[in-house]
Amino acid sequence: MIQALRGTRDILPEEIGYWQLIEDTVREILGRAVYQEIRAPIFEQTALFERGIGEATDVVGKEMYTFNSKGGNKSITLRPEGTAGVVRAYIENKLHAQGGVQRLWYTGPMFRYERPQAGRQRQFHQVGLELLGCAAPRGDAEVIALAIDILQALGLKDLKLDINSVGNQEDRTKYRQVLVDYLEPYKNDLDEDSKDRLTRSPLRILDSKDTKTQEIAQNAPKIIDSLSPESKKHFDIVLQLLTDLNIEYQINHCLVRGLDYYTHTAFEIKSNDLGAQATVCGGGRYDGLVKELGGPETQAVGWAIGMERLVILLQKLSSNPINTPDLYLVSRGEAAEAQSLLLAQQLRQTGLAVELDLSGSAFGKQFKRGNRSGAVACLVLGDAEAENNTVNLKWLASGEQQAIAQKDLLAMTEELKTKIIKLKGFD
Ligand code: ATP
Ligand code: MG
């Protein structure tokens, strides 16, 4: 049998309710802040990610799914993240020409060649947001507040916001030297990747997952102390705005993004309920990226939430939001079965969720399935009902039932809905 590839998985109907809940919540909360959805292609020219994420990163260096086009003259990559594609689309479609800020969000699958484990896959999904054309600290605070809003609306409580500033390009150049001077004497104690980064991308050593390296990094000079007064001011205002918004944070001096076009704010939102793969959301400011990719100088800030990790959290937290019918339609006999499909369609058109039993099996078996379906009532159509154009309405909790003309049933659907909402226990 052919099986799904390692690091990929099927999202089955039993789990889909969580995904739809996340998608609905994102759409609603970002819609209220007037962010617009954008859908960029899933594959792009490899060069976009090499320039847009950076060749020194793990993502580009080790994790990309890259192949040649059929023609053989173009290198293509399955997107490992969303920002590069959105920024390319922003430039290519001249969204900047509309002036002012662009508020965009996206969702979809991303691809990284990683070692699969809980919360870490090769095909995974993100929802992300980009605020383009805004240099103000209020932009940073707005996007962070929206990420928190989404996570809280989904019921997550034990969240931790880590934040840092990597300043502007000059600040970082200055800090890079300070950091290398500090790390040089510890060179032999660093993990292999970090040794390598000492010359290529030293800031990313701070972010190492190796415990020994982390210990060394903990005592490193802090980037905040290398910030220019303007950069420091930007960061202080962001922090003040978060306080005003009642959002708690911890400054994490080791939280960095190593590349030149990442500027100022970097942040991560973690959950204590996730174990090793604790980060649900990562983001920050990238004032240099649009220009790097050939667009006009455009300041920007954004984030991405990992949906698989969010689903794991929701599964621990809340009951499964599954799609259950309001009514379950049972029928048997040629005429009854024909009428039942028509009746199901008519009821569905009024807004009721109707599951039609298609088995043609004995009434008893159909009732059993009706009871398990989550419906609050069964509609029963047999030979006698079909003959008279009636239907039997049976409320499952009370067992109460009544025979009713099909046209009368269709005339009382508003009443039915009110009763169903009450019985399902929400409004
Ligand atoms: P990590 O340190 O966990 O590898 P990252 O820094 O590579 O994360 P980002 O590129 O910032 O992650 O992506 C944002 C979010 O996307 C992460 O916080 C995480 O929730 C999710 N994510 C990243 N990689 C994966 C993956 N392979 N499988 C599932 N989710 C992922
Ligand atoms: Mg990663």
Side-chain angles (χ1 to χ4, degrees), residues 262-331:
Y262 291 121
T263 52
H264 301 289
T265 316
F267 65 93
E268 273 180 10
I269 304 172
K270 297 186 182 185
S271 165
N272 286 331
D273 296 324
L274 266 178
Q277 264 46 259
T279 309
V280 246
C281 175
R285 186 165 268 288
Y286 51 91
D287 289 346
L289 181 60
V290 182
K291 189 141 186 243
E292 172 68 29
L293 292 178
E297 178 113 27
T298 307
Q299 289 83 8
V301 55
W303 50 248
I305 288 177
M307 294 177 78
E308 275 76 7
R309 295 188 196 173
L310 206 45
V311 169
I312 294 173
L313 283 171
L314 291 183
Q315 283 172 328
K316 286 188 187 169
L317 247 150
S318 55
S319 59
N320 194 356
I322 41 174
N323 185 12
T324 57
D326 300 321
L327 302 169
Y328 193 90
L329 216 166
V330 163
S331 59

Side-chain angles (χ1 to χ4, degrees), residues 130-340:
E130 317 293 351
L131 169 55
L132 293 134
C134 173
R138 258 198 302 171
D140 310 45
E142 172 172 294
V143 303
I144 293 173
L146 288 169
I148 303 260
D149 269 357
I150 289 169
L151 298 174
Q152 283 180 345
L154 287 167
L156 306 193
K157 291 198 180 68
D158 210 357
L159 297 170
K160 195 165 151 285
L161 168 65
D162 276 16
I163 192 165
N164 196 16
S165 172
V166 295
N168 60 27
Q169 207 169 324
E170 279 161 37
D171 302 335
R172 224 182 5 255
T173 309
K174 191 169 125 198
Y175 177 67
R176 195 186 155 113
Q177 195 52 54
V178 174
L179 183 64
V180 171
D181 290 346
Y182 165 81
L183 289 171
E184 237 0 289
Y186 297 102
K187 194 171 172 180
N188 293 327
D189 299 328
L190 298 175
D191 61 276
E192 286 310 310
D193 279 345
S194 294
K195 275 183 198 144
D196 207 38
R197 284 178 185 141
L198 203 50
T199 44
R200 294 201 307 156
S201 176
L203 264 69
R204 296 203 40 250
I205 296 176
L206 296 174
D207 186 42
S208 166
K209 281 167 185 154
D210 178 81
T211 26
K212 190 87 200 278
T213 304
Q214 278 177 350
E215 261 171 51
I216 298 168
Q218 281 299 327
N219 297 315
K222 299 179 172 61
I223 192 161
I224 295 207
D225 298 327
S226 294
L227 297 185
S228 64
E230 304 83 72
S231 297
K232 183 74 173 48
K233 187 169 171 211
H234 183 101
F235 191 41
D236 287 341
I237 297 175
V238 172
L239 298 181
Q240 183 57 49
L241 290 169
L242 292 176
T243 304
D244 295 346
L245 286 161
N246 227 341
I247 296 172
E248 280 178 40
Y249 60 81
Q250 294 80 35
I251 296 178
N252 176 349
H253 298 288
C254 290
L255 178 58
V256 287
R257 312 194 135 218
L259 301 166
D260 282 355
Y261 34 80
Y262 291 121
T263 52
H264 301 289
T265 316
F267 65 93
E268 273 180 10
I269 304 172
K270 297 186 182 185
S271 165
N272 286 331
D273 296 324
L274 266 178
Q277 264 46 259
T279 309
V280 246
C281 175
R285 186 165 268 288
Y286 51 91
D287 289 346
L289 181 60
V290 182
K291 189 141 186 243
E292 172 68 29
L293 292 178
E297 178 113 27
T298 307
Q299 289 83 8
V301 55
W303 50 248
I305 288 177
M307 294 177 78
E308 275 76 7
R309 295 188 196 173
L310 206 45
V311 169
I312 294 173
L313 283 171
L314 291 183
Q315 283 172 328
K316 286 188 187 169
L317 247 150
S318 55
S319 59
N320 194 356
I322 41 174
N323 185 12
T324 57
D326 300 321
L327 302 169
Y328 193 90
L329 216 166
V330 163
S331 59
R332 190 164 158 85
E334 206 173 312
E337 284 168 15
Q339 282 185 19
S340 68

Side-chain angles (χ1 to χ4, degrees), residues 59 63 112 114 120 209:
V59 171
E63 298 174 358
R112 296 185 193 178
E114 302 210 62
R120 191 175 292 287
K209 281 167 185 154

Side-chain angles (χ1 to χ4, degrees), residues 367 376-380 392-397 399-402:
F367 274 125
V376 292
C378 270
L379 290 168
V380 191
N392 210 26
L393 171 62
K394 181 175 179 195
W395 296 97
L396 291 171
E400 172 199 340
Q401 51 180 309
Q402 71 187 107

